[in-house]
Amino acid sequence: MNEDTFSEAQYKEFFEYHKNNPMIWKAFKNKAFEAIKRGFKHYGSKGIFELIRWEDKGQINKDGFKVNNLYTPYYARLFSKEFPQYKDFFRTRKIKK
């Protein structure tokens, strides 16, 4: 992940959320790879989150959401970093600080 796109506060907030919600990262990767397997060349991280939300059994996290859309761009960047062969799968914009 290109850390210079994050403010320090955003970076800390995301990784705290990420650490406390490992099931979201697992589901995000699964849905992204499912889309890749189906032949998608690009997909939206918000679309992935909507699929996760739809299939979730209703667990509400401490922040009041099943999954928080605030973090979709961060998960897209994390996916691109962890799986560089799919670095263009999610199109990203510069994050506003």
Side-chain angles (χ1 to χ4, degrees):
M1 206 168 335
N2 186 355
E3 296 171 12
D4 65 350
T5 59
F6 297 96
S7 73
E8 187 176 338
Q10 289 170 318
Y11 181 78
K12 286 180 180 178
E13 225 178 88
F14 167 70
F15 278 101
E16 185 67 24
Y17 182 83
H18 179 61
K19 181 179 81 174
N20 291 329
N21 298 283
M23 66 289 198
I24 293 174
W25 177 231
K26 181 179 179 184
F28 187 91
K29 290 187 296 185
N30 288 342
K31 291 297 173 194
F33 283 121
E34 185 178 321
I36 290 166
K37 185 177 177 182
R38 288 182 177 202
F40 286 91
K41 301 293 182 211
H42 303 285
Y43 207 82
S45 57
K46 284 194 178 184
I48 298 282
F49 264 48
E50 294 301 333
L51 290 169
I52 294 168
R53 185 176 290 113
W54 177 259
E55 293 176 358
D56 189 20
K57 304 262 187 299
Q59 177 67 29
I60 304 297
N61 294 318
K62 288 186 245 179
D63 64 0
F65 300 100
K66 290 182 184 180
V67 293
N68 191 329
N69 280 350
L70 180 64
Y71 302 114
T72 60
Y74 302 94
Y75 280 105
R77 285 168 173 78
L78 185 59
F79 187 87
S80 295
K81 181 180 180 187
E82 191 166 313
F83 306 101
Q85 66 272 35
Y86 301 114
K87 67 180 175 63
D88 296 322
F89 187 66
F90 295 107
R91 294 179 178 149
T92 58
R93 299 179 191 164
K94 186 170 182 165
I95 294 175
K96 297 175 186 172
K97 293 186 179 185

